[in-house]
Amino acid sequence: MMLARVADSLYWMGRYIERAEHVARLADIMLTATLDRAVDAGRTQEIAVAAAGETPPAPGALPMQAARRLVFDRSSAGGVLSSLARARENARQVRDQITTETWERLNLLYLKVTGETAVDLFDMGASAFLHDVIADLHLFRGAADATMSHGEGFRFLMLGVYLERANLIAQLLEVCFGDGRGARSSDHVAEMNLLRMACALEPYLRRYTAEIEPRLILEFLLFDEEFPRSIRFATARIEENLGGISRLARGGGLTAPDRLAGRLKARLEFADMEELRAMDASALLTDVVADCARIHDAVHDAYVAYSLETRLPA
Amino acid sequence: MHDAEGEVREHYAAVHSRLTSLSAEALAERQKTLERSFLLQGVTFTVYGAESATERIIPTDLVPRIIPAAEWRTIEAGLTQRLQALNMFLADVYGDQRILMDGVVPRELVLGAPSYRREMRRLYVPHKAYANVCGSDLIRGQDGRFAVLEDNLRVPSGVSYMLANRDAAKRTFPGVFQSSNVRPIERYPDLLLATLKSMAADWRPNPQVVVLTPGVYNSAYYEHAYLARLMGAPLVEGRDLVAYENMIYMRTTTGLRRVDVIYRRVDDDFIDPLAFRRDSNLGVAGLFNAYRAGNVVICNAPGTGVADDKAVYAYVPDIIRYYLGEEPILPNIETFLCREPAQLSHVLANLDTLVVKAVGASGGYGMLVGPHASAAEREAFAEAVRADPANYIAQPTIQLSTAPCLIDGRLEPRHVDLRPFILSGEKIVVTPGALTRVALRRGSLVVNSSQGGGSKDTWVLADGDAPEVRP
């Protein structure tokens, strides 16, 4: 049992944390890519900006400008800084529900990226700056995992993290493989960068060796059971956390969010790579994004904004 | 720290020798570490500026203030006596009104006060405990005695800073702290919880306590969250609560859940838009009816403000004598009531030596510090007093005592006051510690955090085997 508003805040905190990490990584990969050949750089920049949900940069825009916008622009809803600010605002709302260790990690990071010297530090060494942001977010996750009780609140937090992750990875794949792009043979470096954007390069290489193929990337990021940034992995966690919540909150029995999450999980578990290749990945990715949105709404209706008439005390 | 002969007072010896053994740089470094840790923990208050609300830490001074055991015994006894009498006063003015009929306190002063809540008439408050949490402000006068400057019976703040300061002091001067025999204050949250639970109806076992906050934009939000966390009580906002059939519920993920005790950190005016201010969206519509029906307890009780009204303050010594038949242990500051014609003319003739305060205001607003004001300011204020004399009181300018503070790496005296916290439910408990507020600007007498004041830890010393008080 927890306050509906608190559950909502923890959930959003999870979403914003995940988004901040993802966009920080996109910005970093984009900047590093521009050190290489210009053609790839352009393509990587396009992918990064589109995957972050931003409008494409004006032709000739410098990667540094695009990156600064992804990180610091408060008006862009998906930016690193605005995501961190929102995550922290949600954390402040539930300051009594999260541990001091967890709060301090996030507050420290927030103070760092909003500090007076932050933009200068970024300009002097964007890669180091973004690397630190991502490392701090990992510390936050670690602190939450190690110090918070893994009860309802923690599950709402993790639900937010994985729902956002499934969504973000699906968006990234859509940008790269949507519209029949899946068949296109593409550049080795751009593909490595795609894997880096999903934080997947090293795990991929261990699984498939250095033979990087679009088909295998898609397979890995969609279906791998063990890689934490595959959509299948994320949807399994969504189902698991929702199951935990409904057991804790309702004493069992499937709820609307449970059913939707179960269906999404099954969709990925029983999908056939061969069949997928024959068509294209677009349809599946679109379904994933739509299912995530449906789960989000269902969670909101079941636990946060339910109508009082249905839940009056006996 | 020093006595009249310039000698270091005995109870300050250990702190003094530690402080003087450190270089200015080392002290400044510790000060910086402390401030960083407050910022990191979010020990902040919100300042409302032109554009947005920003969070700031309360400037905190490293040098503890030390109060010997014997002195504290007087403070403790005095505050207990005072709160006991004030609770009886509240029960009386919302009940039979004996004190008004006997003419000890003027009837129109009480019944005409804006903080008097007619809605509270004839309402049963368990243990007659109206002010469950009280934070009185004390000052030490020229004679070295503590006196009460003001009683804060509505929603007093600062206890979280008291606890945070203690935490910081332990980390900054562990050795001195350990050898100083300081009485612990860490039990405040569980004593508060016990006090709140003692206010619940007997037939509700294991009552559900919540802390009601106006939200993250309130200047004391840190404190609300802090107390909720340490009590293990949900921190709720008005929008989390609903009234249904005269009972109060909170919206949880599992549906509606009954609430028994609300420690509200929202002013009377805002707790229930149906009963009080209609434009409030911080409160809960129907809360007051549920309270009247005895289905929920509001702490502090609505209407307690009438007992910390600045005009009623002048009568507190009489109130103590009336209900308890005892002489007040802690004196008041001499106070002139402008509502009395003779006292009004005295005030108007001596504006250059007096501090004049509006009865309803707090936080250092709406006051004139005569000796520091210009002739024009005094004239303008006199105009306002003449127009509405009943709204003003005046007190002699009190030279607050000073305590050494670390200013730019050096020890300098700054004016201070003392805010101890008193809990009252089934019993009255005074926490052996206090928030010492500091006027950080040289010569300034204003200690309010909203006006640039800071704070420091207060060490109440135990003598030998002082037993801890339990509720």
Side-chain angles (χ1 to χ4, degrees), chain A residues 286-308:
Chain A
T286 309
D287 284 347
V288 169
V289 172
D291 279 354
C292 287
R294 270 195 286 273
I295 293 172
H296 170 91
D297 291 341
V299 167
H300 195 69
D301 291 345
Y303 297 108
V304 181
Y306 52 79
S307 86
L308 292 181

Side-chain angles (χ1 to χ4, degrees), chain A residues 24 28 84 105 108-109 112-113 121 125-140:
Chain A
D28 185 31
L84 287 174
R105 283 298 121 211
L108 181 73
L109 177 55
K112 212 189 270 183
V113 296
L121 282 174
S127 190
F129 184 91
L130 292 166
H131 177 269
D132 283 356
V133 168
I134 293 169
D136 281 338
L137 284 164
H138 289 164
L139 285 176
F140 168 83

Side-chain angles (χ1 to χ4, degrees), chain B residues 112-130:
Chain B
S115 46
Y116 185 82
R117 301 272 171 226
R118 245 157 271 286
E119 300 85 344
M120 289 294 293
R121 275 307 297 276
R122 304 279 173 205
L123 198 140
Y124 168 73
V125 174
H127 319 299
K128 290 190 181 173
Y130 283 78

Side-chain angles (χ1 to χ4, degrees), chain A residues 227-267:
Chain A
F227 177 60
R229 280 186 167 70
S230 83
I231 293 179
R232 182 167 173 191
F233 186 94
T235 51
R237 298 291 92 71
I238 291 169
E239 199 222 14
E240 196 177 286
N241 283 298
L242 274 172
I245 289 166
S246 63
R247 264 196 311 283
L248 291 164
R250 316 285 291 275
L254 284 183
T255 60
D258 285 336
R259 274 191 284 273
L260 287 168
R263 255 178 257 159
L264 172 59
K265 186 185 161 209
R267 199 195 283 279

Side-chain angles (χ1 to χ4, degrees), chain A residues 1-7 88-89 91-100 103-105 107-108 110-111 152 156 248-250 302-308 311-313, chain B residues 36-42 44 46 55 208 213 216-218 221-222 224-226 228-229 233-237 239-242 244 249-257:
Chain A
M1 182 281 301
M2 63 194 316
L3 283 179
R5 177 178 54 81
V6 167
R88 189 216 181 229
E89 200 52 32
R92 228 160 83 77
Q93 296 257 9
V94 297
R95 181 62 191 86
D96 62 314
Q97 298 283 331
I98 57 175
T99 57
T100 298
W103 157 260
E104 283 188 357
R105 283 298 121 211
N107 193 35
L108 181 73
Y110 170 80
L111 295 173
E152 208 184 339
F156 271 106
L248 291 164
R250 316 285 291 275
Y303 297 108
V304 181
Y306 52 79
S307 86
L308 292 181
R311 301 302 235 338
L312 287 175
Chain B
R36 255 202 313 272
S37 117
F38 274 26
L39 196 59
L40 179 58
Q41 288 175 60
T44 53
T46 310
E55 293 164 51
Q208 174 71 54
T213 174
V216 286
Y217 299 108
N218 184 269
Y221 178 77
Y222 167 75
H224 308 160
Y226 181 91
R229 182 157 45 91
L235 179 65
V236 303
E237 297 178 15
R239 57 189 160 130
D240 297 319
L241 300 181
V242 282
Y244 173 68
Y249 297 90
M250 57 182 171
R251 295 177 67 109
T252 74
T253 51
T254 52
L256 298 180
R257 192 177 165 111

Side-chain angles (χ1 to χ4, degrees), chain A residues 25 31 67 99 144 186 191 233 235 264 272-273 286 303 310 313:
Chain A
R25 188 174 288 115
L31 284 173
T99 57
S186 162
E191 281 154 7
F233 186 94
T235 51
L264 172 59
D272 183 341
M273 193 60 206
T286 309
Y303 297 108
T310 60

